[in-house]
Amino acid sequence: MKEISEVVMPSFDIVSRTDLPEVDNALQGAKGEISTRYDFKGSKCSIERNELVISLHADDDFKLKQMHELMKGHMGKRKVNIAAFDFAKPEDASGNSLRQAVTIKQGIERDLAQQIVKAVKSAKLKVQTAIQGDELRVTGKKRDDLQDVIQLVKDLKITQPLQYVNMRD
């Protein structure tokens, strides 16, 4: 009796994932620097992460900007793309201090996914794209077509960091 083998077409996933342990490590580094730097001496500046939201508390606008620079520097050292963060508008907190929420982007939002699918379809490449939750699956007959899709998506200049994973032949 012969087994019917399933035809597997080459495919890959387009995802947007932020490495949260690396984010935590970068935030620890930034906190350590805040506690030792002279210009932060005696201030009530703090950084905390709760799920996908980082809370920044600063005494004034200047210190908040300094905290942004520290955060960006430490994220860069940890290879965490700063484009994965959505900085909300700073708001006033108690005692003339400022509070700012920074959202960590995880996954591809539906609008962005549809924009990518539309671009791939209009390029007339011989591939299928499917939105699967907060990821995109791209399937095609040839590996070259898949690599063309990756290049096309990179050329779209999307600000959110995207990764191309699970390449299967």
Side-chain angles (χ1 to χ4, degrees):
M1 191 164 105
K2 284 186 177 178
E3 285 185 37
I4 300 170
S5 63
E6 193 179 312
V7 178
V8 179
M9 291 175 49
S11 69
F12 72 94
D13 296 332
I14 302 174
V15 299
S16 180
R17 297 184 187 140
T18 305
D19 190 359
L20 294 178
E22 287 300 331
V23 169
D24 287 339
N25 291 338
L27 292 178
Q28 286 302 326
K31 284 181 194 176
E33 199 166 326
I34 287 170
S35 68
T36 59
R37 266 179 50 169
Y38 182 76
D39 53 344
F40 283 103
K41 210 156 208 74
S43 71
K44 293 180 178 67
C45 297
S46 67
I47 302 176
E48 292 161 17
R49 182 176 79 84
N50 189 356
E51 300 296 317
L52 295 177
V53 178
I54 299 169
S55 300
L56 302 176
H57 295 276
D59 295 346
D60 53 48
D61 199 42
F62 176 74
K63 285 197 174 72
L64 188 64
K65 283 186 173 46
Q66 292 291 89
M67 290 171 73
H68 285 181
E69 292 307 311
L70 279 174
M71 209 172 109
K72 288 175 184 175
H74 284 275
M75 292 295 172
K77 287 178 194 166
R78 290 273 173 193
K79 303 206 178 356
V80 176
N81 192 330
I82 199 70
F85 299 97
D86 188 16
F87 289 83
K89 189 172 174 273
E91 50 191 48
D92 293 329
S94 60
N96 291 337
S97 62
L98 292 171
R99 179 185 319 122
Q100 185 175 29
V102 182
T103 309
I104 303 169
K105 296 178 193 171
Q106 290 280 46
I108 300 173
E109 290 179 6
R110 190 137 192 94
D111 293 344
L112 179 58
Q114 289 171 335
Q115 177 189 337
I116 293 170
V117 169
K118 194 173 178 182
V120 170
K121 280 186 178 167
S122 67
K124 303 241 188 290
L125 295 168
K126 291 183 176 155
V127 296
Q128 291 81 43
T129 50
I131 299 172
Q132 298 180 330
D134 60 356
E135 299 181 355
L136 277 170
R137 164 82 36 99
V138 180
T139 312
K141 286 189 171 107
K142 295 187 200 135
R143 188 183 185 115
D144 290 348
D145 292 340
L146 298 181
Q147 289 170 337
D148 290 343
V149 171
I150 291 173
Q151 193 55 53
L152 173 80
V153 174
K154 285 181 178 177
D155 292 343
L156 290 176
K157 302 274 188 267
I158 295 168
T159 55
Q160 185 170 345
L162 298 174
Q163 296 88 35
Y164 309 94
V165 297
N166 297 338
M167 181 65 100
R168 294 190 180 100
D169 271 331

